Amino acid sequence: MLRKRCLTPGGAPLILLVCHLITALDVPLDLQQPPTLTHQSPKDYIVDPRENIVIQCEAKGKPTPSFSWTRNGTHFDIEKDARVTMKPNSGTLLIDITGGKVEAYEGVYQCTARNEHGTAISNNIVIRQSRSPLWSKERVDPILIQEGNSLILECRPPVGLPPPIIFWMDNYFQRLTQSERVSQGLNGDLYFSNVRTEDTRNDYICYARFNHTQTIQQKQPISVKVLSNSPAGERYPTFMIPKGRTSNKLVLRGHVLKLECIAEGLPTPEIHWRKESGELPNKRTFHENFQKTLKIIDVTEADAGLYRCIAKNSLGSIHHIINVTVMASPYWITEPKNLVLAPKETGVLICRANGSPGPSITWLMNGIPIENSPKDLSRKVDGDSIIFSDVQTGSSAVYQCNVSNEFGYLLANAFLNVLAEPPRILTPTNQMYQVITNSRALLDCASFGSPIPKINWFKDDQTSILDGDPYVIHDNGTLEIHVAQKDNNGKYTCIAMNDLGKAENRVQLEVKDPTRIIKQPEYRVVQVAGKVIFECKVKHDPTFTPTIMWLKNNEELPDDERFIVGEDSLTIGEVTEIDKGTYTCVANTSLDKDSASAELTVVAATPTPAVIYDRPDPSTDLELTDERERSIHLTWTPGFDHNSIIQKYIVEYEDGLHEPGVWHYLTEVPGTKTNAHLKLSPHVLYSFRVVSVNEVGRSQPSYPSRQYQTAPAAPDENPSKVEGAGNEPDNLVITWETLTGIQSNGPGLQYKVHWRQKDVDDDWTSVTVANVSKYIVSGTQTFVPYEIKVQALNDLGIAPEPSTVVGYSGEDLPMAAPGNVRVRVENSTLAEVQWEPVSPKSVRGHQKGYKIYYWKERSVFKRSRRHVEKKILTFSGDKTHGKLPGLEPFSLYKLNVRVFNGKGEGPPSPDEQFETPEGVPSAPAFLKILNPMLDSLTLEWGAPSHRNGLLTGYTLKYQPINNTHELGPLVKIIIPANETNWTLKNLNYSTRYKFYFHAQTSKGPGNIITEEAVTIMDEARINQPAVDADKGYSEPPLATSLPMHTLRPTFHKVRPVGPVFGNINTTASEDFANISWEYWGPDMSFYIEYMVEDSKEDWKKEFVNGTQSFFVIKGLMPGTTYKVRVVAKGHSDEPVQSTEEVFKTDPAMASRQVDIATQGWFIGLMCAIALLILVLLIFCFVKRNKGGKYPVKEKEDAHPDPEIQPMKDDDGTFGEYSDTEDHKPLKGSRTPSNGTVKKEDSDDSLVDYGEGGDGQFNEDGSFIGQYSGKKEKETAEGNESSEAPSPVNAMNSFV
């Protein structure tokens, strides 16, 4: 029982039209109440003269109402007419017309239901007899007409009630073919724009079908003979209908508008339509009868205006203007509803309607005009409303609202019932509710009382009211638990209370464990004649006993003793080929179920060679026998099976009327049968064919059988997938899936759409449409449930009664914002938001949930505003709280909450403001080491990018690292927050230090940034190399450049004592990968381990040649992801592994290029060139040793060129040889002046291995220079001279 009150700030009732609105209300029948009509016959009631008349009038009330009738405005005395009886405890009249005439009972009837509390009246029910008169006798003369002229064959059917349906057929009951040239008009006449010789026939017959009496009348056949001795010539179009240049059309709102233009001419004119004052409504406009009829369904006022139809052929065009006027019979905006008030309460009845012209509203009380009824000071009539204030016991009555204009009327009954009633619970007592864990639980508490009782829920013996998460109490008293858990088990008490008392009801909730299959059946492969077992072990709630069911291919198991179903398994013995398929275990309880499936594959035990199998040959000799309306018998002769037994025959059919050329599956029979009894549908032109199937495959289809046509009939089924959902706040869109041609069962397929508002005592409203799959009901209330059904009908009758579905009219944006929004800050990055839910009525749609909009205004320590970037978090359902993660510490935030439905979001709640507390800062933005001196270093840093609070200072820790990689004592320094650099003094010279630096707030220290640096060396030690008597000059310390800043510890800069791997680099191609690494530690042997990622195979191992720090892995699969690691192993030490690296090879690339390196001619050519170069080098070497000169040498001696260089090792070119003993360094070399070799020129340079310089890869991925292209190692002593390359060295580098 829902009611809405409006109060002034002072608490007194404020009498407004929007106050005390009442929804549809059912008062328990044991309580005193005025009558309420529950059913009545339609206003316009056409009866079949062959059947008795039943005029319905049903009502409820307490005391039980009595009934009376009027006919044509006067009292209808039932007692005086022996043919008329009234059903007991009902107002329904039964009129027996056996031996009588229906005409005697035609008239206007009205039912009255009354008791001591009031009187309800029905609509005026007009009873009329259905009439299907015969065609008047007439002489129809044959029509002679010259070819090319226009022709109209008039139908002029008899006037019936209701009007008949017209169609043209021939003597064989076949519909006449219609086209742009020949078509039937809305008046039933047959129009020929121009006639042709093929139009000659003597059986043009017009039929009139009277649906109400299920009779068909026919006109005398018309004979037409088309002459061709003087054919008409080509001519401009002329309208056959309508006449003139303009016409007018009146249509009522909500009805169907049909405009028609039929033109004659030669060639045949084409018809086009347009609206002069706007566009045609896209989704409501249909063109019928070959564009000659424009149909607009569900007409609205916007469809009024001028419509132009244009007829056009190759000679010219004409047009006709139709002025459409849209009027409207009254329709409801707000229909009055029953009103229940307690004494001294206030309420209002509203009767609001619209129409064109504007309707008048008349109020009646207990069937008497209200101005003639007894005066009542508590009642005030104000136009379309009656306002009640301070009502008293005895004011109960039934009020009628009559809304009318010249096109119709609406009559509604609504009672005022003044009751003082303590609460009562309507839900059964001690009801047990059972739900599955984590599902939703709904505990009902339907109640009634006056005044409206308030509902509270309690659990077990607790005294606190259940409210808030996880509980939600709905307006109808239902208690909802969103996600039921075990601790929600128990007894719940519902208490309904008002001023007159209270009532309570106890229910019990049990939360059960879900049913789960813990041991699922697994895929099996078994040989023929073998045995297979599928397991299925189930875990379930101990109070339930599940039923285990096995399915094969989602159907029941075959009735075969080989299938044995155990407690937790399925065993199949003596497996055959037909046993293959999908087997499913289904575990069911009364609340839930679970299922699991596995595939069974059957393979041959021992293949039998030398037998050729093939698909069957097509069947032959198809024969049709035992022909009936809905069935026929088909037999055939099978084709050769080609050594594979035919397993089944598939029968297919073609519908020559609806889908010629398309074959459909009809049925199948086992391979042992060669006949089938086929069930047929009405109004289908059948052809049949047979496909044979054996183990190899399907045969070609057989040759089709002869055709067989079934007679038309009424539809057997109704449209499926009927749904109702509005797309605007004031409409309801009803959709369905249309019937196919074969489902229509006959011509003239249409759909009768019924709807009525749910839980309201309204009659069904219906409309009949064709060629559409939806209908739009306008003028509905927002988000109201409707009962909907769609029934199929055709020219032969209607389908069975359709099932009813429930849909909702359109949603609108929510009206209210969540209230009492509260924010609880949990920590510096997390806050919880709580709010009070909006009322379901204000949602005006399916509530989807709530959205929290939140944004950062600014940081607390910064007063300037920043760019506001709003974020949104969505919480589905009826949740009333949510958490905001990822907030920034020490910041000012704002938020609001909105409810949303399928239409969109409602208004936001007022903005709430909150602050997050301080947090720890991020790492400093950077840390640089500047001005390294002998005993000091300067550190410079940037403030943290995210301070997350007020900085209280910085902490610097540092310690030295000696030559054995040991860490020295740690020194700690606290630095003020306003400093950005710091100089450390009294450090050791030529010493490496490691620094740890972080900022901190009052909440603690932030992330650490590390760096390393070296104080500069003593200059005396740098300039004077150390000398050892035995070893000569020793190698000076490595030069150190300024360190690069990093946010991670640079572990590669400090070499540890034990063996450790540094960076592992991978470069992958299609089928190989290059692996290189850094290693510090004693000499060990290396090997590479690799495997496909996420595979179960073992690591593959490849040994590395010598101590080189690279390797090429070959033979990889293209487009595959691998894991790789490097392992160092000594003779007795434990192996040391690097970190695992992941790489992916390139996908395989299709290529038409030929690998030239694998061609024989290329290999031969290279060998010849190598041989020539070898001979040339030997010759040059001999000439040089003899001191002789050859032409090149002579030219070089004559014109020395300072730019000529010796052979360059890095690019493979040859320079000239010099006889001088000046061992000058190569041009561009990096040998330092002090004779030392720098790090980048050492033996470990990556240029030697292809990581820099001109190192390259071969096409197969091998490294050029791995063994032959490597530079000749220079000696470590810097003052040792470089020799000119000898021919032997040149040969080595070439080979």
Side-chain angles (χ1 to χ4, degrees):
M1 198 174 122
L2 302 177
R3 181 179 301 167
K4 179 178 178 182
R5 285 193 175 90
C6 295
L7 297 178
T8 61
L14 177 63
I15 302 175
L16 296 175
L17 297 182
V18 297
C19 294
H20 217 105
L21 297 178
I22 304 300
T23 62
L25 180 63
D26 278 333
V27 180
L29 280 176
D30 63 328
L31 295 180
Q32 297 292 314
Q33 57 186 291
T36 300
L37 289 178
T38 58
H39 196 69
Q40 57 181 310
S41 292
K43 295 178 181 178
D44 193 3
Y45 188 12
I46 300 176
V47 298
D48 190 333
R50 299 167 299 180
E51 298 178 355
N52 292 334
I53 302 173
V54 179
I55 311 176
Q56 293 181 331
C57 179
E58 304 288 343
K60 63 180 182 178
K62 182 68 179 287
T64 302
S66 61
F67 297 88
S68 63
W69 285 87
T70 63
R71 185 172 73 175
N72 299 328
T74 61
H75 176 66
F76 182 33
D77 193 346
I78 299 171
E79 301 295 334
K80 293 182 178 181
D81 193 331
R83 296 182 182 272
V84 182
T85 59
M86 185 182 296
K87 289 176 62 176
N89 300 318
S90 167
T92 298
L93 294 183
L94 303 176
I95 304 176
D96 184 2
I97 61 171
T98 304
K101 292 185 177 181
V102 177
E103 291 88 340
Y105 294 97
E106 290 185 326
V108 180
Y109 291 77
Q110 188 173 41
C111 173
T112 300
R114 61 169 53 86
N115 64 13
E116 61 188 61
H117 301 295
T119 301
I121 60 175
S122 71
N123 292 319
N124 286 332
I125 303 171
V126 180
I127 302 297
R128 294 187 292 170
Q129 174 189 349
S130 173
R131 291 176 174 83
S132 52
L134 296 175
W135 234 293
S136 58
K137 292 186 178 293
E138 59 178 335
R139 180 179 177 182
V140 181
D141 295 327
I143 298 176
L144 300 178
I145 187 170
Q146 290 290 339
E147 182 180 8
N149 286 326
S150 63
L151 175 64
I152 301 176
L153 299 183
E154 295 181 344
C155 180
R156 291 182 295 186
V159 177
L161 185 67
I165 297 174
I166 307 301
F167 50 94
W168 288 80
M169 302 178 74
D170 59 17
N171 277 331
Y172 299 98
F173 299 101
Q174 297 296 315
R175 288 256 186 171
L176 296 179
T177 302
Q178 299 190 22
S179 62
E180 291 183 345
R181 186 178 62 85
V182 183
S183 62
Q184 177 183 316
L186 295 177
N187 62 358
D189 293 348
L190 192 63
Y191 291 84
F192 294 77
S193 295
N194 50 78
V195 295
R196 299 176 182 172
T197 55
E198 60 260 32
D199 296 327
T200 298
R201 63 190 306 155
N202 57 6
D203 58 351
Y204 286 97
I205 306 175
C206 180
Y207 288 85
R209 185 177 71 243
F210 298 90
N211 282 343
H212 221 78
T213 58
Q214 296 294 306
T215 59
I216 297 178
Q217 307 287 354
Q218 79 171 64
K219 184 184 176 74
Q220 288 291 327
I222 302 175
S223 177
V224 176
K225 184 174 182 181
V226 180
L227 307 177
S228 58
N229 54 355
S230 180
E234 293 186 347
R235 60 187 180 278
Y236 286 91
T238 304
F239 282 114
M240 305 170 76
I241 186 172
K243 301 296 184 181
R245 300 187 60 85
T246 62
S247 59
N248 298 304
K249 180 74 173 180
L250 174 67
V251 65
L252 292 182
R253 178 184 184 273
H255 287 208
V256 177
L257 170 65
K258 285 189 176 183
L259 304 178
E260 181 180 48
C261 280
I262 300 177
E264 63 93 10
L266 191 65
T268 302
E270 296 179 352
I271 303 295
H272 302 279
W273 293 88
R274 72 165 184 255
K275 188 177 182 184
E276 295 292 277
S277 55
E279 297 293 329
L280 293 171
N282 186 30
K283 297 182 180 180
R284 296 186 291 112
T285 301
F286 304 92
H287 293 87
E288 298 178 344
N289 197 19
F290 309 97
Q291 301 284 324
K292 300 175 186 179
T293 302
L294 175 69
K295 183 172 78 171
I296 301 177
I297 63 173
D298 193 21
V299 169
T300 68
E301 288 81 356
D303 296 324
L306 300 179
Y307 291 79
R308 180 190 297 265
C309 71
I310 302 167
K312 181 179 181 182
N313 66 8
S314 58
L315 300 182
S317 64
I318 60 170
H319 70 269
H320 182 90
I321 301 294
I322 304 175
N323 184 14
V324 174
T325 302
V326 178
M327 307 300 281
S329 60
Y331 56 92
W332 290 118
I333 297 176
T334 303
E335 185 177 1
K337 305 297 180 183
N338 290 339
L339 182 62
V340 176
L341 297 177
K344 298 188 179 299
E345 281 195 318
T346 297
V348 61
L349 285 177
I350 298 177
C351 176
R352 192 161 295 151
N354 203 352
S356 178
S360 61
I361 296 177
T362 303
W363 286 98
L364 298 91
M365 187 185 83
N366 296 328
I368 301 172
I370 198 166
E371 58 270 15
N372 299 334
S373 62
K375 299 296 182 181
D376 188 345
L377 296 179
S378 65
R379 181 185 68 220
K380 177 184 178 182
V381 179
D382 186 5
D384 59 6
S385 303
I386 300 179
I387 302 170
F388 302 94
S389 58
D390 195 23
V391 296
Q392 302 298 323
T393 305
S395 298
S396 299
V398 182
Y399 290 85
Q400 289 82 31
C401 174
N402 189 319
V403 184
S404 62
N405 65 10
E406 61 187 272
F407 298 105
Y409 74 95
L410 296 172
L411 177 67
N413 290 272
F415 66 60
L416 167 66
N417 196 13
V418 181
L419 284 176
E421 186 67 23
R424 61 171 66 184
I425 304 295
L426 305 179
T427 303
T429 59
N430 299 319
Q431 192 166 352
M432 171 68 74
Y433 293 89
Q434 293 180 333
V435 297
I436 295 297
T437 303
N438 295 325
S439 64
R440 186 173 67 163
L442 295 173
L443 309 183
D444 293 329
C445 183
S447 65
F448 180 84
S450 183
I452 299 173
K454 180 180 180 182
I455 305 298
N456 289 319
W457 281 90
F458 301 86
K459 184 176 185 295
D460 296 327
D461 296 325
Q462 299 175 8
T463 58
S464 58
I465 298 174
L466 299 181
D467 194 12
D469 198 25
Y471 302 100
V472 174
I473 300 178
H474 293 277
D475 289 345
N476 63 356
T478 298
L479 176 66
E480 177 179 353
I481 305 174
H482 293 301
V483 182
Q485 301 296 326
K486 285 288 188 179
D487 57 2
N488 296 128
N489 281 325
K491 293 184 178 179
Y492 291 77
T493 302
C494 158
I495 297 180
M497 182 182 299
N498 67 9
D499 296 340
L500 302 179
K502 69 176 182 178
E504 66 178 55
N505 185 30
R506 292 180 181 271
V507 297
Q508 188 164 346
L509 174 64
E510 290 183 354
V511 182
K512 304 292 187 179
D513 291 328
T515 303
R516 294 290 179 265
I517 297 177
I518 57 176
K519 177 64 176 177
Q520 299 184 351
E522 297 179 350
Y523 173 75
R524 291 284 186 267
V525 178
V526 65
Q527 291 184 346
V528 172
K531 176 181 177 182
V532 65
I533 299 176
F534 290 111
E535 291 184 280
C536 181
K537 294 184 178 180
V538 180
K539 181 182 179 181
H540 56 88
D541 191 279
T543 61
F544 287 156
T545 301
T547 58
I548 307 299
M549 180 173 58
W550 286 90
L551 304 174
K552 178 187 176 185
N553 297 330
N554 292 325
E555 296 180 355
E556 292 185 4
L557 291 177
D559 186 14
D560 193 330
E561 60 184 7
R562 297 181 300 108
F563 291 77
I564 302 174
V565 178
E567 183 178 354
D568 54 6
S569 65
L570 169 66
T571 303
I572 308 174
E574 295 295 325
V575 173
T576 65
E577 185 69 23
I578 62 174
D579 294 332
K580 65 181 179 181
T582 300
Y583 289 82
T584 302
C585 170
V586 181
N588 278 297
T589 67
S590 59
L591 291 183
D592 68 338
K593 70 176 182 178
D594 195 14
S595 63
S597 301
E599 191 81 15
L600 173 62
T601 300
V602 181
V603 296
T606 305
T608 55
V611 178
I612 299 176
Y613 301 96
D614 201 354
R615 297 182 298 173
D617 290 340
S619 299
T620 58
D621 302 330
L622 272 67
E623 184 178 356
L624 299 177
T625 58
D626 193 18
E627 299 176 359
R628 300 185 182 183
E629 287 189 359
R630 293 292 185 102
S631 67
I632 199 167
H633 199 74
L634 172 66
T635 59
W636 61 89
T637 300
F640 179 50
D641 62 7
H642 290 280
N643 302 313
S644 178
I645 297 175
I646 295 177
Q647 298 171 340
K648 62 181 178 180
Y649 295 98
I650 299 174
V651 180
E652 299 177 338
Y653 74 91
E654 176 196 27
D655 182 0
L657 286 180
H658 303 103
E659 293 181 287
V662 179
W663 290 89
H664 301 275
Y665 171 89
L666 180 58
T667 188
E668 59 184 56
V669 296
T672 57
K673 297 182 64 176
T674 58
N675 61 82
H677 190 72
L678 308 178
K679 294 182 179 180
L680 308 179
S681 296
H683 194 55
V684 178
L685 181 61
Y686 281 103
S687 296
F688 303 99
R689 69 183 186 185
V690 178
V691 178
S692 308
V693 180
N694 64 8
E695 188 174 346
V696 179
R698 297 163 57 107
S699 71
Q700 291 294 323
S702 68
Y703 190 78
S705 70
R706 64 179 175 85
Q707 291 184 326
Y708 175 70
Q709 182 167 357
T710 55
D716 295 324
E717 55 186 304
N718 288 301
S720 58
K721 298 182 181 178
V722 178
E723 296 178 351
N727 55 20
E728 295 294 339
D730 61 347
N731 75 6
L732 171 68
V733 181
I734 303 173
T735 60
W736 60 91
E737 190 172 284
T738 58
L739 300 182
T740 62
I742 195 170
Q743 292 173 318
S744 65
N745 284 6
L749 177 64
Q750 295 179 302
Y751 304 100
K752 191 169 186 179
V753 186
H754 305 259
W755 70 91
R756 69 178 178 187
Q757 189 172 332
K758 191 175 184 293
D759 300 327
V760 176
D761 296 329
D762 278 352
D763 293 332
W764 289 95
T765 303
S766 64
V767 65
T768 301
V769 297
N771 302 321
V772 295
S773 60
K774 72 175 181 179
Y775 183 77
I776 302 176
V777 180
S778 300
T780 66
Q781 300 179 42
T782 301
F783 197 64
V784 171
Y786 279 85
E787 292 179 305
I788 302 165
K789 56 185 180 181
V790 180
Q791 189 174 30
L793 66 152
N794 61 18
D795 293 346
L796 279 302
I798 61 175
E801 181 67 20
S803 58
T804 301
V805 300
V806 176
Y808 282 81
S809 56
E811 299 179 272
D812 205 347
L813 295 178
M815 296 187 298
N820 195 20
V821 178
R822 307 175 299 282
V823 182
R824 182 172 64 87
V825 179
E826 295 190 356
N827 55 46
S828 59
T829 61
L830 181 67
E832 182 181 33
V833 183
Q834 297 180 341
W835 60 88
E836 291 182 355
V838 300
S839 65
K841 187 174 182 180
S842 68
V843 175
R844 300 200 294 181
H846 295 288
Q847 182 171 325
K848 302 294 186 180
Y850 293 88
K851 292 184 180 180
I852 300 179
Y853 284 72
Y854 66 102
W855 61 95
K856 179 181 175 182
E857 283 284 308
R858 56 180 172 80
S859 295
V860 173
F861 66 88
K862 291 183 180 179
R863 294 301 174 184
S864 59
R865 290 179 59 86
R866 48 169 282 175
H867 172 68
V868 174
E869 178 183 354
K870 291 189 176 181
K871 299 180 179 179
I872 304 173
L873 278 180
T874 301
F875 300 90
S876 60
D878 297 331
K879 291 199 69 172
T880 57
H881 66 91
K883 293 190 177 183
L884 307 181
L887 302 177
E888 295 184 21
F890 209 49
S891 300
L892 177 65
Y893 279 88
K894 287 186 178 181
L895 63 81
N896 57 56
V897 186
R898 315 176 189 201
V899 68
F900 70 98
N901 59 19
K903 186 74 173 179
E905 300 175 2
S909 65
D911 290 350
E912 290 292 323
Q913 180 174 298
F914 66 95
E915 293 182 3
T916 53
E918 288 189 86
V920 298
S922 62
F926 63 87
L927 177 63
K928 296 180 181 179
I929 312 299
L930 307 175
N931 303 323
M933 306 297 289
L934 280 174
D935 61 349
S936 65
L937 291 170
T938 299
L939 284 74
E940 183 178 289
W941 60 87
S945 57
H946 298 284
R947 301 193 180 194
N948 297 338
L950 299 176
L951 295 182
T952 59
Y954 296 95
T955 299
L956 171 65
K957 298 178 182 179
Y958 65 94
Q959 58 190 152
I961 305 173
N962 61 18
N963 293 333
T964 61
H965 309 295
E966 295 178 348
L967 298 175
L970 190 67
V971 179
K972 178 179 179 181
I973 299 176
I974 304 300
I975 301 174
N978 58 351
E979 295 289 345
T980 59
N981 59 76
W982 195 265
T983 300
L984 298 176
K985 299 181 179 180
N986 299 322
L987 303 176
N988 297 328
Y989 68 88
S990 187
T991 301
R992 180 179 295 277
Y993 286 90
K994 187 165 185 178
F995 301 93
Y996 312 88
F997 191 70
H998 65 81
Q1000 62 187 27
T1001 65
S1002 61
K1003 289 295 182 180
N1007 295 331
I1008 295 176
I1009 184 173
T1010 65
E1011 189 54 271
E1012 296 175 17
V1014 179
T1015 54
I1016 66 174
M1017 304 175 187
D1018 190 335
E1019 292 182 0
R1021 292 178 177 267
I1022 295 174
N1023 294 330
Q1024 298 179 5
V1027 179
D1028 188 286
D1030 296 327
K1031 300 180 180 178
Y1033 287 97
S1034 63
E1035 182 180 354
L1038 297 176
T1040 304
S1041 61
L1042 282 177
M1044 296 296 292
H1045 143 258
T1046 175
L1047 289 178
R1048 295 182 297 172
T1050 53
F1051 297 111
H1052 63 281
K1053 293 189 177 181
V1054 179
R1055 299 180 180 179
V1057 176
V1060 169
F1061 283 95
N1063 292 334
I1064 307 296
N1065 297 316
T1066 61
T1067 306
S1069 185
E1070 182 177 320
D1071 58 354
F1072 69 92
N1074 283 278
I1075 313 298
S1076 62
W1077 60 88
E1078 294 178 350
Y1079 171 79
W1080 299 290
D1083 291 340
M1084 290 187 177
S1085 59
F1086 298 94
Y1087 59 89
I1088 305 295
E1089 290 184 334
Y1090 66 98
M1091 65 183 294
V1092 177
E1093 189 182 30
D1094 296 331
S1095 71
K1096 297 181 179 179
E1097 63 183 5
D1098 296 328
W1099 290 87
K1100 297 180 180 179
K1101 185 182 296 185
E1102 298 280 353
F1103 287 93
V1104 179
N1105 184 19
T1107 59
Q1108 64 188 31
S1109 57
F1110 65 90
F1111 189 79
V1112 179
I1113 305 175
K1114 301 180 181 179
L1116 303 179
M1117 293 183 292
T1120 305
T1121 303
Y1122 287 84
K1123 294 193 299 185
V1124 66
R1125 65 189 182 194
V1126 186
V1127 183
K1129 180 71 170 66
H1131 293 292
S1132 59
D1133 299 328
E1134 290 292 321
V1136 178
Q1137 296 178 351
S1138 70
T1139 58
E1140 294 180 3
E1141 299 292 325
V1142 177
F1143 67 90
K1144 185 176 183 180
T1145 55
D1146 295 336
M1149 299 295 292
S1151 175
R1152 298 185 179 179
Q1153 296 181 354
V1154 178
D1155 188 355
I1156 193 173
T1158 64
Q1159 302 300 303
W1161 64 267
F1162 180 80
I1163 296 174
L1165 178 61
M1166 291 298 101
C1167 292
I1169 294 175
L1171 182 60
L1172 289 175
I1173 294 175
L1174 177 61
V1175 172
L1176 177 61
L1177 291 175
I1178 295 174
F1179 175 76
C1180 294
F1181 180 72
V1182 172
K1183 292 288 287 182
R1184 173 186 171 97
N1185 288 343
K1186 291 183 178 181
K1189 296 184 178 179
Y1190 48 92
V1192 176
K1193 183 71 172 74
E1194 292 174 355
K1195 187 175 181 179
E1196 181 179 346
D1197 291 345
H1199 304 283
D1201 189 347
E1203 293 299 320
I1204 294 177
Q1205 299 295 330
M1207 185 183 77
K1208 300 178 182 177
D1209 290 340
D1210 55 353
D1211 59 11
T1213 60
F1214 291 95
E1216 300 295 342
Y1217 297 93
S1218 172
D1219 288 334
T1220 65
E1221 297 300 320
D1222 299 332
H1223 302 298
K1224 297 179 180 179
L1226 298 178
K1227 180 179 180 181
S1229 68
R1230 297 185 180 181
T1231 306
S1233 60
N1234 62 0
T1236 63
V1237 180
K1238 292 187 177 180
K1239 176 68 177 178
E1240 58 266 32
D1241 296 325
S1242 69
D1243 292 342
D1244 292 332
S1245 172
L1246 291 178
V1247 176
D1248 294 339
Y1249 303 127
E1251 297 293 347
D1254 295 326
Q1256 301 174 7
F1257 293 104
N1258 282 333
E1259 292 178 354
D1260 63 353
S1262 61
F1263 186 78
I1264 297 177
Q1266 181 173 337
Y1267 300 106
S1268 60
K1270 186 176 180 180
K1271 291 182 180 180
E1272 289 296 313
K1273 301 275 183 85
E1274 297 177 344
T1275 59
E1277 289 76 21
N1279 59 351
E1280 188 172 349
S1281 62
S1282 301
E1283 295 183 353
S1286 68
V1288 176
N1289 289 336
M1291 281 298 301
N1292 287 336
S1293 65
F1294 179 79
V1295 176

